[in-house]
Amino acid sequence: MKYMLLMQFSAAGTDFPSIDTWTPDEIAAHIGFMREVNGKLAADGEWVQGEGLGGPQQARIVRAGAGGAPVVTEGPFAETKEFLAGWWIVDCETPQRAVEIAAHISTAPGPGGRPLNMPIEVHPVMSAPTQEP
């Protein structure tokens, strides 16, 4: 079964500064951790895909306008207190394994090497219904 793991950043309830204030070594340790996670998932045959995402100042909200033309709302979104920081799609034998992976990802290091303990949402990826002949 495939699961999507979503790394959420929330300004509320965190006790660490935003990543743009981290030292280069702290950023390198964080990215190195993520690469190790991805490498282990790939070696274990559980890796499907994953990426880090730009911050909310780079995001855009798009809706269909008149005639389906895109209507874009540009950032930054100062009122945003939470945003999606990254995601993985993993293929696991059990839901418990997806939860274990999410818990490990939550330990990614932040300032001073302390675990961030960021919340990781775990969502089953739904498959399309089978087509009856």
Side-chain angles (χ1 to χ4, degrees):
M1 174 92 184
K2 290 182 184 169
Y3 295 88
M4 178 173 252
L5 311 178
L6 302 172
M7 177 180 272
Q8 297 285 342
F9 175 81
S10 173
T14 60
D15 62 352
F16 57 88
S18 65
I19 198 166
D20 61 341
T21 65
W22 298 8
T23 68
D25 287 343
E26 291 168 339
I27 293 170
H30 183 79
I31 292 170
F33 175 89
M34 295 302 177
R35 286 187 176 136
E36 287 176 22
V37 165
N38 296 347
K40 177 153 180 20
L41 290 171
D44 292 345
E46 295 173 317
W47 169 263
V48 176
Q49 191 174 20
E51 297 291 339
L53 300 174
Q57 68 278 9
Q58 298 168 309
R60 303 294 178 258
I61 303 293
V62 180
R63 290 185 169 88
V71 176
V72 179
T73 305
E74 304 208 6
F77 307 105
E79 71 280 2
T80 300
K81 292 182 175 42
E82 297 180 353
F83 65 89
L84 186 59
W87 56 273
W88 294 258
I89 296 180
V90 295
D91 195 350
C92 304
E93 292 291 322
T94 66
Q96 293 80 12
R97 177 63 184 142
V99 168
E100 290 170 3
I101 294 167
H104 180 64
I105 291 170
S106 179
T107 68
R114 290 189 348 235
L116 294 175
N117 294 322
M118 290 176 67
I120 309 295
E121 293 182 21
V122 178
H123 295 264
V125 175
M126 307 306 287
S127 60
T130 58
Q131 299 294 323
E132 296 291 324

